[in-house]
Amino acid sequence: MTRHLPAWALAAATSAAALMPASLHAAEIEWLQWFAAENTGGFYEELVADFEAQHPDITVKLVTQPFGKVRESIVTDNAIGVGSDVLGLNMPWTTEFLEIGILEPLDDYLARDDNSFETDQLVEAPLGKIDGKTWMVPLNAFPFVMHVNMGLVEQAGFDAPPSSWDALAEQAAAISALGDGTSGLGMPFSSQPPSNGPILTFLPLLYANGGRIMDGTTPDFDNPKVVETLEFLQQLEQSGALAPGAASRTGGVDLEEFIAGRTGFLISPGVHSSSITSRNPELDYTLVRVPSNGAEAYRVHGWEIGISADSDNKEAAWTFVDYLLSPEVNARVAKASNALPGNLAALDTVRADADATLVKQMDILSGDTPVEEMRQSPKAAASWSLMTEELQSMLRGDQTPAEAASAVQARWMDLIQ
Amino acid sequence: MPTAPVPTPTPDKEDAVTPSFRLPTAAGTPYLFLLPGLVILGALLSVPLYKVVEYSLYDNVIVERNPTFVGLDNYRDILGDPGYWSAGFNTIVFTVGSVIGHMIVGIGLALLVNADIHPRARTFFRSMLVLPWIFTAVVVALNWQLLLNPFGLLNYVLDWLGLITEPLDWLGNPDLAMWSLLVISTWRGYPFIMVSFLSGLQTVPKELYEAAEIDGAGFWHKFWHVTLPQLKPVIFGVALLDLIWTFQLFPLVWLTTGGGPGRATEVLSTLTFRLAFVDFEFARAATVAVSILIISAAFTVLYLRNEARRL
């Protein structure tokens, strides 16, 4: 009677396993993202299980981190050679990541005939070529909008949300004048990471004014449209329309203050509507276009996905990306995040049972011009961090809008050199 | 025929053989026990340390696939950067201010909780006062942000007392941010000092206080002439240790102000992180990290010398 497995049997089994064709092994791919952190209902776990059931030869390890941590993790994981195969991405990171060589070009994958989607049906902005190649695909998309607390708007004596800058200034000042801790509009210009307040609030206003901050890949911040938009911010500050403490107000606090009903307006991604309605169902809430000063353009945003250049399982990774972009799965993803699908072929499915806020976002997306400039910036995070510092200084009254614009332009030029 | 005598080992020879056989094991055993620790230290400490120093000698590492060796250029670069000196100055203000705050509050509270009161009350106060030490930096940062918010409790109380007419942005005003950070750091760090002094206070012989009382000494006389001289070695050691920790403190500053507004609270540790993970200038970040290491090492040598003197 043998009590232990004979050594020869163990060796034979090990050798046999090693000699098996690689395709018979289940490939494990890792998916690093923040999406599951923003949908805690287990949707992404179910999605992965569904994919694995359809592809028994591939297992997916879901690695979830908060949004603020993902960029840093992608860079450090890549540096030590343990990067994930499929990456959750944000458009502004594109050029930065290209310089480090993190991303795999997707053109050859997108050109395949057996993909489950049509490339020309995908939301266009993330596909735009940089260095002649496409680096990411859109999982979903949403415009930056203005969320409105109709209760405060009506208390301040108005019956409709503002659609122009003049109306915004008037209504925001009136809401701040209600007292009792209410404010018209928040400007989250804190230096705290990710320190990206101006790209959440200032850029949408600038685009609605017909302005831009880049000329191709070259910074162009000290132009008249930028100065005019900065002057508008200064006017809001001086009239008391802005919530006090912009320099210590984070994006998170800005959202929380709105959800708690203490701020009249919130400029942020449309995807926040699901957090707002689920966290405070009592809020008399709607969302509108960012008030315009002559232009109908919006900052487009979304959750993107790409493949790591160092992945050992690029084929399996693409199989998973292909699955996520198929119209049926993409529609499920869009509904789960109350956003628009990255694959527009799924639009009708999403529209079928979309709520009013999602329908409004669809109208904005279909009628206005999408803009996303930060993806062309060679150092996007450093750029917006410097912009935050100069805008803090302007709102404190330490410099004029024109001086702030010149200071940002000079510091950006230094940065790219 | 006489048989050749079979050589038998003499006790002397056995003695001579045994040590040479046992020596490696006997002398080597302690090293074998040390080996796991040394391997772990080597892997977790020496390798990263070596890599950071190496990175500081190359052109932008990690970002460049094939970085070039640039010698001390990064050091020259950093030393010529006003941002580095400004962060260095802020680090000194933050470190010295924090250590002074920790010492004053820590010693004061240690004296209070050492008082001869009901044991239950004493245990209660000791437990409550040590709480700030238990919270993570994230919890501390979030709580203080809420307290110091323009619509937070502090502004409400000051307004109610009629001391302010409009809310102050404690963490967003460059004139107030460092002071606010010092208050937060003091609150977070005093329990370590308090606990250290409390244990020191309990070693001071009661006879010294009784003798001082007989001589007519009051509270302050006893404090200056009995307590402080008796605790002098503890004070110096604990202050140095606190200085080393606070000098390289990162999470509290980063999570509370992010080094802002502007760069008003940027310290060397946050500058290192900013250079690495915001600007992707990993070589320059490594250079600043090495400068922190050198200064911390100097403090550590001072601390070890002080400890050796005490022993």
Side-chain angles (χ1 to χ4, degrees):
Chain A
M1 196 171 84
T2 313
R3 287 197 304 169
H4 299 290
L5 188 69
W8 62 266
L10 191 63
T14 315
S15 307
L19 290 170
M20 275 164 68
S23 59
L24 293 180
H25 290 290
E28 184 183 90
I29 55 171
E30 206 173 84
W31 183 24
L32 173 64
Q33 40 65 50
W34 67 92
F35 317 145
E38 302 196 9
N39 183 320
T40 50
F43 171 79
Y44 286 92
E45 288 78 2
E46 284 169 18
L47 197 70
V48 163
D50 180 52
F51 172 78
E52 288 176 345
Q54 291 182 31
H55 301 84
D57 54 333
I58 303 173
T59 57
V60 179
K61 187 177 169 192
L62 192 66
V63 182
T64 305
Q65 292 190 348
F67 172 73
K69 192 96 180 79
V70 171
R71 175 178 171 271
E72 178 192 323
S73 290
I74 290 175
V75 175
T76 44
D77 290 354
N78 178 265
I80 56 175
V82 295
S84 298
D85 305 279
V86 180
L87 305 170
L89 297 170
N90 192 14
M91 270 190 274
W93 303 340
T94 317
T95 307
E96 292 183 328
F97 283 3
L98 290 195
E99 291 196 356
I100 309 180
I102 290 175
L103 300 176
E104 170 79 0
L106 299 180
D107 305 79
D108 290 345
Y109 298 97
L110 286 166
R112 290 180 181 180
D113 293 331
D114 59 347
N115 286 336
S116 63
F117 60 91
E118 301 289 332
T119 303
D120 58 8
Q121 286 283 306
L122 300 181
V123 168
E124 207 180 325
L127 302 176
K129 291 184 189 293
I130 296 181
D131 290 350
K133 294 190 173 76
T134 299
W135 304 96
M136 55 183 72
V137 287
L139 184 64
N140 63 19
F142 34 84
F144 272 69
V145 299
M146 190 166 82
H147 305 275
V148 179
N149 179 335
M150 277 309 293
L152 288 179
V153 168
E154 283 162 9
Q155 271 185 55
F158 303 92
D159 51 16
S163 59
S164 68
W165 277 14
D166 288 343
L168 172 63
E170 188 189 1
Q171 292 196 18
I175 289 171
S176 290
L178 292 173
D180 202 22
T182 58
S183 302
L185 176 67
M187 283 291 144
F189 291 169
S190 166
S191 296
Q192 259 194 282
S195 182
N196 62 349
I199 70 168
L200 303 177
T201 49
F202 165 72
L203 287 189
L205 283 168
L206 174 71
Y207 297 155
N209 189 27
R212 299 288 185 273
I213 55 168
M214 303 287 289
D215 180 7
T217 54
T218 311
D220 178 26
F221 202 84
D222 51 353
N223 67 64
K225 285 285 183 188
V226 167
V227 174
E228 190 183 11
T229 311
L230 291 177
E231 282 168 348
F232 179 60
L233 287 190
Q234 192 186 44
Q235 177 204 335
L236 290 173
E237 169 70 9
Q238 288 170 350
S239 68
L242 296 186
S248 63
R249 192 178 179 95
T250 60
V253 169
D254 208 28
L255 177 61
E256 291 302 322
E257 288 285 309
F258 182 83
I259 291 173
R262 287 190 288 267
T263 315
F265 308 112
L266 166 77
I267 298 176
S268 80
V271 74
H272 282 161
S273 62
S274 54
S275 303
I276 295 166
T277 48
S278 64
R279 299 266 309 281
N280 187 357
E282 304 301 312
L283 197 71
D284 188 359
Y285 162 74
T286 187
L287 69 79
V288 294
R289 277 186 175 80
V290 173
S292 164
N293 196 38
E296 289 195 338
Y298 62 90
R299 182 165 177 243
V300 66
H301 200 53
W303 294 350
E304 280 75 41
I305 35 180
I307 295 178
S308 166
D310 290 339
S311 167
D312 293 328
N313 291 305
K314 287 180 187 141
E315 277 306 315
W318 178 254
T319 306
F320 183 57
V321 172
D322 183 45
Y323 164 83
L324 291 174
L325 292 182
S326 64
E328 184 266 324
V329 174
N330 202 240
R332 277 159 55 198
V333 171
K335 279 182 195 169
S337 47
N338 203 33
L340 278 304
N343 181 354
L344 295 173
L347 204 54
D348 288 340
T349 317
V350 176
R351 194 191 292 271
D353 51 355
D355 69 9
T357 58
L358 194 52
V359 171
K360 283 187 180 175
Q361 290 187 64
M362 287 177 177
D363 292 344
I364 296 169
L365 281 170
S366 61
D368 300 358
T369 311
V371 188
E372 168 50 59
E373 295 187 282
M374 294 309 288
R375 69 192 293 271
Q376 299 165 55
S377 170
K379 294 205 167 191
S383 301
W384 70 55
S385 183
L386 296 181
M387 189 175 13
T388 301
E389 289 177 18
E390 297 302 335
L391 266 56
Q392 287 172 347
S393 165
M394 183 196 79
L395 287 185
R396 259 197 323 268
D398 291 349
Q399 58 184 346
T400 64
E403 287 166 348
S406 301
V408 172
Q409 175 69 10
R411 293 181 78 182
W412 280 10
M413 293 307 287
D414 276 353
L415 195 67
I416 61 169
Q417 280 157 18
Chain B
M1 190 175 140
T3 50
V6 177
T8 51
T10 62
D12 279 358
K13 278 183 184 168
E14 201 174 338
D15 281 353
V17 169
T18 310
S20 67
F21 176 74
R22 284 181 186 162
L23 187 64
T25 316
T29 305
Y31 296 102
L32 281 175
F33 281 112
L34 280 175
L35 195 62
L38 289 173
V39 169
I40 291 169
L41 265 182
L44 297 182
L45 201 67
S46 313
V47 175
L49 205 63
Y50 166 76
K51 291 304 283 183
V52 169
V53 175
E54 187 192 14
Y55 282 175
S56 73
L57 302 174
Y58 279 82
D59 189 21
N60 214 357
V61 281
I62 297 177
V63 174
E64 298 290 333
R65 288 274 159 153
N66 297 304
T68 347
F69 181 79
V70 292
L72 296 176
D73 280 6
N74 288 323
Y75 290 88
R76 214 168 293 128
D77 224 34
I78 282 290
L79 292 176
D81 180 0
Y84 175 79
W85 292 108
S86 154
F89 176 75
N90 286 340
T91 309
I92 294 170
V93 171
F94 177 71
T95 308
V96 173
S98 295
V99 172
I100 291 173
H102 295 160
M103 300 301 279
I104 292 173
V105 178
I107 294 175
L109 289 175
L111 289 171
L112 284 177
V113 295
N114 194 43
D116 198 13
I117 56 171
H118 192 283
R120 273 194 194 160
R122 198 164 51 203
T123 310
F124 172 76
F125 285 121
R126 285 182 184 179
S127 312
M128 292 304 289
L129 288 169
V130 92
L131 278 181
W133 206 20
I134 295 166
F135 295 132
T136 62
V138 180
V139 174
V140 173
L142 277 175
N143 278 309
W144 278 94
Q145 277 173 353
L146 289 173
L147 282 172
L148 300 179
N149 185 287
F151 290 128
L153 184 67
L154 182 63
N155 276 312
Y156 174 78
V157 171
L158 292 176
D159 182 46
W160 183 69
L161 292 172
L163 295 174
I164 54 171
T165 51
E166 57 183 39
L168 295 173
D169 190 6
W170 295 97
L171 295 170
N173 180 332
D175 298 330
L176 300 173
M178 181 55 91
W179 291 104
S180 307
L181 204 55
L182 284 174
V183 169
I184 299 169
S185 168
T186 299
W187 184 84
R188 174 89 199 287
Y190 80 79
F192 168 69
I193 308 290
M194 184 188 81
V195 170
S196 304
F197 279 101
L198 192 56
S199 62
L201 279 171
Q202 285 158 8
T203 64
V204 180
K206 282 201 165 40
E207 295 79 11
L208 292 177
Y209 290 111
E210 287 164 7
E213 276 168 21
I214 290 167
D215 289 344
F219 173 82
W220 285 111
H221 276 97
K222 281 192 285 184
F223 178 71
W224 284 113
H225 300 292
V226 178
T227 310
L228 275 187
Q230 287 291 313
L231 292 182
K232 210 168 137 191
V234 181
I235 293 174
F236 194 63
V238 168
L240 268 176
L241 210 53
D242 195 26
L243 202 70
I244 296 165
W245 287 340
T246 313
F247 185 79
Q248 48 198 320
L249 195 73
F250 167 74
L252 192 67
V253 183
W254 192 246
L255 294 168
T256 309
T257 63
R263 301 283 167 101
T265 58
E266 183 89 301
V267 291
L268 288 175
S269 56
T270 57
L271 177 65
T272 308
F273 188 88
R274 185 186 301 282
L275 286 170
F277 293 107
V278 177
D279 299 350
F280 288 159
E281 300 265 5
F282 291 95
R284 296 184 76 199
T287 312
V288 178
V290 171
S291 78
I292 297 174
L293 173 74
I294 293 168
I295 300 166
S296 299
F299 287 140
T300 309
V301 169
L302 266 178
Y303 173 75
L304 292 175
R305 277 192 183 170
N306 175 62
E307 287 302 295
R309 236 193 337 259
R310 276 177 66 190
L311 296 172

